[in-house]
Amino acid sequence: MRDATTPLLALDGLEAWYGESHVLHGVTFDVMPGEVVTLLGRNGAGKTTTLKAIMGMVAQRKGSVRYEGSELIRLTSDRIARLGLAICPEERGIFASLNVQENLLLPPKVRPGGLDLDRIFALFPNLQERLFSQGTKLSGGEQQMLAIARILRTGARLLLLDEPTEGLAPVIIQQIGKTIGLLKQQGFTILLVEQNFRFAATVADRFYVMEHGRIIDRLASSELEANLGKLHDYLGV
């Protein structure tokens, strides 16, 4: 069993580029086992790039990304995934030509401990009802549920969720929040990128604020109320 005082994920001086564009400038933060940690920031702050750099999806990166004490910075995306990390991208990546069941079963299991379909359907009953519907027939909320459900099968224990509530109705956002809480109870660790600060405030243990590819502030959930004015300035809300 891992020491709960040792970070599950630790970034130190992470830099990343898209071609000639230098996007991340020494990002440093950590995520403890069983936490929900949120990256906050305006559009273009580097939040999504941080998730992609963790997963090795950015061609040029340097610095340190450690998961369970192992250095990931020189590993390819497939090797990183097999260590137990999974990303749910903002665009969701649902295959329109496949039905819900086929989308669910597509990713390989990379480690023991993934959720079986019965446990997934307990979290997302809508998916069981739509099991043979094509990906194009799903609502935005159902597509988001499917995108999250798909990575729960793999055995990954660290979930990187990129803007899971974007464009969704309030009732679906509430359901996504409830699901994140249940996943935390089941031992998952979650790194969340969110524009919706009010949603993030209901699910996260800690927050890091990004600006221009750097971490500029960090707050515990207990400190939010006292720092709302500062957060509004950071986020432009």
Side-chain angles (χ1 to χ4, degrees), residues 22-209:
H22 193 177
V23 180
L24 300 184
H25 302 271
V27 173
T28 299
F29 67 86
D30 56 44
V31 181
M32 305 303 289
E35 275 194 311
V36 178
V37 170
T38 299
L39 292 180
L40 296 169
R42 301 186 191 210
N43 284 334
K47 306 183 302 297
T48 293
T49 302
T50 300
L51 298 192
K52 289 182 174 180
I54 291 167
M55 289 299 299
M57 297 165 65
V58 177
Q60 190 181 357
R61 58 185 185 144
K62 69 176 186 179
S64 176
V65 179
R66 299 184 72 82
Y67 175 73
E68 292 186 327
S70 298
E71 182 59 63
L72 309 184
I73 202 71
R74 292 180 183 82
L75 300 185
T76 56
S77 293
D78 61 312
R79 290 182 64 192
I80 292 170
R82 290 183 185 283
L83 292 174
L85 297 84
I87 187 169
C88 183
E90 183 180 358
E91 61 275 13
R92 298 169 187 151
I94 303 303
F95 288 90
S97 60
L98 303 181
N99 64 30
V100 167
Q101 179 173 259
E102 290 165 336
N103 269 285
L104 267 178
L105 298 178
L106 191 64
K109 293 186 179 181
V110 296
R111 285 176 65 158
L115 301 191
D116 59 27
L117 290 182
D118 286 342
R119 290 174 70 193
I120 285 173
F121 294 147
L123 284 170
F124 301 109
N126 296 45
L127 297 184
Q128 188 167 20
E129 296 167 10
R130 305 297 305 274
L131 201 55
F132 300 107
S133 299
Q134 299 301 113
T136 48
K137 305 292 186 186
L138 300 181
S139 68
E142 289 168 338
Q143 288 188 33
Q144 185 62 68
M145 292 173 198
L146 178 54
I148 296 172
R150 196 168 51 181
I151 62 174
L152 298 179
R153 280 190 61 255
T154 65
R157 303 308 292 174
L158 174 61
L159 310 179
L160 311 180
L161 307 184
D162 193 0
E163 300 278 11
T165 69
E166 186 177 28
L168 301 184
V171 65
I172 304 298
I173 292 174
Q174 191 174 17
Q175 190 173 349
I176 298 289
K178 181 180 176 184
T179 300
I180 288 173
L182 290 170
L183 292 174
K184 181 183 175 184
Q185 288 175 21
Q186 294 180 33
F188 288 92
T189 302
I190 297 172
L191 178 58
L192 176 70
V193 160
E194 254 306 332
Q195 286 282 97
N196 184 341
F197 162 69
R198 288 168 186 82
F199 167 76
T202 66
V203 298
D205 299 297
R206 292 191 297 126
F207 303 84
Y208 291 98
V209 183

